[in-house]
Amino acid sequence: MKRWNYGAALLLMAGLLGLSGCSQYPDKTADGAPWDHSWTILGSVLGVEEPGNGFSLLDNYSVLTGEDIYYAAWVTGEPAPYTNEDGEEVEVYDAQIYLLAAGCADEAYAQQNEEEWMARQQETYTVTKTWTETRNGQEYTLLAYECSSKTNPYERGVSAFTVYGTYAVSAELVCQADFTEQEREILLQFLDGCHYSL
């Protein structure tokens, strides 16, 4: 049985991006703290603490499609079968967190990718709130939304977008209707655990 790969939409948003990356780990974070090798590492740009709140790591793809693109996903709850719009049976969870870091040729291109990702979400979902937050020294634009599509197993979600150097970064939490936790607070806590390299 396949897992319902909601994060595939994020990968499609990544488009054709510039430079190939390296996987060398830094010694310190951007704020000067020691780099913790127990974090989930996305390339040499981002290390992520365990998100807590019952979430566990499901996938961590260090490099995708031969480009400078990194992706990880965390889930909570037991997997349940779901038939997707292609008629395939897949697995979905109570909630999932996705993180995508896409390297670009330069910062302007990274900002362009960030803007395109946000525009695509606004076209796809019913956005209920937009705001900015600074978490762990990094500023994010956040969108809370409802999933109106009948082919989507999730009811609602919240996404965060930022640019760090030449990277466009997106973090997203999606959840089913009966997920009673505070998804906004969980995502903000997750962002507090995201550490960028120098």
Side-chain angles (χ1 to χ4, degrees), residues 131 142-145 156-160 171-174 183-184 187:
W131 74 102
L142 290 100
L143 305 177
Y145 59 86
R156 62 192 188 278
V158 59
S159 297
E172 183 169 8
L173 188 156
V174 291
E183 60 269 14
R184 295 182 193 187
L187 186 63

Side-chain angles (χ1 to χ4, degrees), residues 1 5 17 19 26-27 34 38 46-47 49 53 67-69 71 82 84 105 114 122 151 154 159 163 172 183 190 195:
M1 179 182 292
N5 193 356
L17 301 172
L19 305 172
D27 294 324
S38 71
L46 186 56
E49 297 177 26
N53 297 295
E67 300 288 341
D68 192 11
I69 303 173
Y71 165 81
Y82 177 81
N84 68 17
E114 177 196 35
Q122 291 169 330
T151 61
Y154 295 105
S159 297
V163 169
E172 183 169 8
E183 60 269 14
F190 176 80
H195 301 273

Side-chain angles (χ1 to χ4, degrees), residues 8-20 64-69 100-106 108-114 116-117 120 166-168:
L10 290 176
L11 297 177
L12 292 175
M13 291 191 297
L16 297 174
L17 301 172
L19 305 172
S20 294
L64 295 170
T65 66
E67 300 288 341
D68 192 11
I69 303 173
L100 176 68
C104 301
D106 55 38
Y109 195 14
Q111 290 173 342
Q112 178 183 334
N113 273 277
E114 177 196 35
E116 289 174 357
W117 294 353
R120 190 166 288 118
T166 59
Y167 284 85

Side-chain angles (χ1 to χ4, degrees), residues 14-74:
L16 297 174
L17 301 172
L19 305 172
S20 294
C22 60
S23 59
Q24 195 172 18
Y25 298 151
D27 294 324
K28 294 183 178 181
T29 66
D31 61 5
W35 192 266
D36 187 335
H37 294 280
S38 71
W39 294 337
T40 298
I41 306 296
L42 279 76
S44 60
V45 69
L46 186 56
V48 186
E49 297 177 26
E50 289 301 313
N53 297 295
F55 283 86
S56 59
L57 184 66
L58 178 68
D59 292 312
N60 182 13
Y61 298 106
S62 295
V63 180
L64 295 170
T65 66
E67 300 288 341
D68 192 11
I69 303 173
Y70 308 95
Y71 165 81
W74 294 260

Side-chain angles (χ1 to χ4, degrees), residues 82-135:
Y82 177 81
T83 303
N84 68 17
E85 58 189 316
D86 296 324
E88 299 172 319
E89 191 171 279
V90 295
E91 292 179 341
V92 298
Y93 295 82
D94 294 346
Q96 299 194 24
I97 297 172
Y98 303 95
L99 182 62
L100 176 68
C104 301
D106 55 38
E107 186 173 349
Y109 195 14
Q111 290 173 342
Q112 178 183 334
N113 273 277
E114 177 196 35
E115 291 166 5
E116 289 174 357
W117 294 353
M118 288 190 291
R120 190 166 288 118
Q121 278 217 330
Q122 291 169 330
E123 293 170 3
T124 305
Y125 305 117
T126 302
V127 175
T128 57
K129 184 177 180 182
T130 303
W131 74 102
T132 60
E133 294 264 358
T134 299
R135 312 303 290 200

